[in-house]
Amino acid sequence: MQNRLLRSTPVRQAMILVAVVALVNLLSLGGAWLKLRADTVAEIKDGVSQDLASFDVAATPSALRTLVAARARVTDPRDAVYVFLGFDQRSTGNAQGYLRDGVIGFEALDGMRLSEAGYVNDSRRLSGGVLIVARSLGPVSELDETFLNLLFFSLIPTVLLSLTLGVWIATRSARRVARIEAVLGRIAGGDLSARTREDGTGDDLSVIGAGVNRMATKQELATETLRQVTTDIAHDLRTPLQRIGVLLSELEERLPEGEEQRLATRAKDEADHAVAVFRALLEIARIEGGRVRERFAPVDLGEVAGRIVELYQPSGEDEGVIISLAVDGPSQVEGDADLIGQALANLIENALRHAGEGGEIAVRVSGDRLSVADRGPGIPEDERDKVLRRLYRLEHSRTTPGNGLGLALVAAIAEAHGAELTLGDNAPGLVVTMRFRG
């Protein structure tokens, strides 16, 4: 959940906005700090130049030493350094001056300390020696510390507050997006009654939510209309077809043995097949109507599977097919026992048509899973979704009995129970699994 939130567009936009605000504030503070720092350094350099100029009035070395000594006595070397280094290497001031390898510098006297921030210094040859003046960079160091404190106590809290507020707003948007995604997922899964909750704010997400609701309403109406038309057609045609079957059966009995009787028999079989198709279509429409949930109760999958397998084992023996059952532990789910049994019966009948003599059908119940596996030709992976459609038949199945509604009925029963229906490869053969939700 956390990773998904971080990858969401609203959270990313909030982070980008906070980063932009932080960058603008950092550039503003940084620009001000650089300007103040440069001005402070320039001011210190000007002070050094003025100090050097103030000693130009001394005409003799002794007078210059006196001035330097007087200035040094009242000045802390951590703030400023005044040193006169005579050509005789005698140093006067509040630090020890030296000349080494042509480089003029100074060091702290015993018992005294120099500035840890460094100095801006300059030197000038005057009255038989070298005058060294240096001013501490302490003000610059204090400015740096002030900037860091301002950065810590101003920018960081601002960024944290902005980020918290941005993530909170983005989280709310992400939750709304997640709700819309959930509704779309339910609609895609066949629950056309799913709707989003409109908050009436009129923003883009509200507009999208309203659009999703309108789409779902229209799709629900169109689907319901189609189902009703299909049900009406199947219902209206089933009775005439049943009458035709009865009449053909009477005609078959009255005709003498011969070509005419065989034609009557074939016609009766086709009429019975058509009646079976319409009966299956009506059953699918009834299941998809959603009222089957009213009959849901605790169901023992193992018990249902045992009853259906026992019913079909004699038929399997007649066709030379072994039907086995394995139940692994408790297997109670919520559902309609009759419909689950019908789905299992359809799967076994489908497997019987393709198992072939000497084949084997394995029914297995494991927890909330019910599966049927056979060793037949199987179904190509690119056609496994298609066989769940009504009246769809594989090319190699067109010569075998069936109407293309067996797996469609199983899919309708699975959807009514909220179960996950998967068709897999049994290597060789097909394995169909229904996974219920407890």
Side-chain angles (χ1 to χ4, degrees):
M1 178 65 180
Q2 185 177 4
N3 291 335
R4 183 179 180 184
L5 182 63
L6 292 176
R7 292 196 303 267
S8 66
T9 299
V11 172
R12 288 184 177 182
Q13 290 176 343
M15 289 183 174
I16 291 174
L17 181 60
V18 170
V20 170
V21 171
L23 181 61
V24 170
N25 287 339
L26 184 61
L27 290 176
S28 300
L29 288 175
W33 168 70
L34 291 175
K35 179 66 169 58
L36 289 174
R37 197 177 195 279
D39 290 346
T40 303
V41 172
E43 184 178 348
I44 293 174
K45 289 181 178 179
D46 289 342
V48 170
S49 298
Q50 291 174 9
D51 283 342
L52 285 174
S54 67
F55 286 104
D56 280 344
V57 297
T60 63
S62 59
L64 184 57
R65 286 182 187 277
T66 302
L67 288 174
V68 170
R71 184 77 62 88
R73 279 194 298 270
V74 296
T75 305
D76 189 336
R78 288 176 295 184
D79 296 327
V81 172
Y82 299 98
V83 175
F84 179 72
L85 180 62
F87 291 146
D88 56 1
Q89 298 300 313
R90 189 161 61 93
S91 176
T92 301
N94 55 359
Q96 177 64 47
Y98 63 83
L99 177 62
R100 297 172 185 169
D101 299 328
V103 177
I104 299 173
F106 56 89
E107 296 176 347
L109 294 172
D110 293 339
M112 304 189 73
R113 296 170 57 191
L114 297 179
S115 172
E116 296 178 357
Y119 293 87
V120 171
N121 59 77
D122 198 0
S123 60
R124 185 176 300 179
R125 294 182 179 275
L126 294 172
S127 302
V130 177
L131 176 64
I132 303 173
V133 175
R135 286 200 175 188
S136 171
L137 287 172
V140 177
S141 179
E142 292 175 0
L143 181 64
D144 293 344
E145 185 177 352
T146 301
F147 171 75
L148 290 177
N149 290 334
L150 183 63
L151 184 67
F152 183 79
F153 292 105
S154 175
L155 180 59
I156 293 180
T158 301
V159 170
L160 291 177
L161 181 61
S162 301
L163 185 60
T164 302
L165 183 61
V167 170
W168 177 71
I169 295 173
T171 301
R172 291 189 60 192
S173 299
R175 288 175 180 170
R176 295 174 64 190
V177 171
R179 288 198 297 267
I180 294 175
E181 286 181 346
V183 170
L184 288 173
R186 290 172 58 190
I187 293 173
D191 183 8
L192 300 182
S193 64
R195 298 291 186 274
T196 62
R197 299 195 306 270
E198 299 181 38
D199 53 13
T201 58
D203 60 5
D204 51 351
L205 291 180
S206 295
V207 173
I208 293 174
V212 170
N213 288 345
R214 289 194 299 271
M215 177 196 70
T217 301
K218 292 181 179 179
Q219 189 172 353
E220 184 179 24
L221 180 60
T223 303
E224 186 59 34
T225 301
L226 179 61
R227 287 176 179 173
Q228 188 61 45
V229 170
T230 303
T231 302
D232 292 344
I233 292 174
H235 187 272
D236 291 343
L237 291 181
R238 183 179 63 174
T239 301
L241 284 172
Q242 286 176 334
R243 292 174 180 170
I244 292 173
V246 172
L247 293 174
L248 289 173
S249 179
E250 293 179 0
L251 179 62
E252 178 189 19
E253 293 175 357
R254 295 182 183 182
L255 288 174
E257 292 186 7
E259 185 63 26
E260 291 82 0
Q261 189 186 54
R262 287 193 293 272
L263 286 175
T265 301
R266 289 175 57 190
K268 181 179 72 68
D269 292 341
E270 291 297 329
D272 290 342
H273 176 75
V275 171
V277 169
F278 284 116
R279 187 177 293 127
L281 288 173
L282 285 172
E283 182 65 14
I284 292 175
R286 182 183 70 83
I287 294 171
E288 290 178 339
R291 294 187 178 180
V292 295
R293 289 184 173 271
E294 298 173 359
R295 303 197 306 269
F296 278 12
V299 176
D300 189 330
L301 289 181
E303 181 181 338
V304 173
R307 174 166 50 86
I308 299 300
V309 168
E310 184 179 358
L311 180 66
Y312 277 92
Q313 278 177 337
S315 300
E317 292 175 359
D318 292 342
E319 298 185 24
V321 177
I322 299 174
I323 303 178
S324 62
L325 172 64
V327 178
D328 300 333
S331 53
Q332 191 173 81
V333 298
E334 285 289 324
D336 186 311
D338 293 335
L339 287 180
I340 295 174
Q342 185 176 357
L344 178 57
N346 280 21
L347 292 176
I348 293 177
E349 288 180 2
N350 185 71
L352 278 172
R353 283 195 293 270
H354 302 95
E357 187 174 355
E360 181 181 352
I361 299 174
V363 180
R364 187 181 189 89
V365 176
S366 178
D368 59 356
R369 297 172 185 261
L370 172 63
S371 64
V372 177
D374 62 60
R375 293 292 182 178
I379 299 177
E381 186 175 355
D382 58 348
E383 294 200 69
R384 289 173 188 168
D385 289 336
K386 299 177 183 177
V387 296
L388 300 178
R389 303 175 186 172
R390 303 178 191 184
L391 303 176
Y392 184 87
R393 302 194 71 191
L394 295 172
E395 190 64 32
H396 64 74
S397 300
R398 297 188 183 278
T399 57
T400 60
N403 51 34
L405 290 170
L407 288 177
L409 182 58
V410 173
I413 293 173
E415 182 178 343
H417 285 78
E420 180 184 359
L421 180 66
T422 56
L423 279 64
D425 188 2
N426 198 37
L430 176 70
V431 56
V432 182
T433 303
M434 293 177 64
R435 182 178 181 182
F436 296 84
R437 298 180 179 177

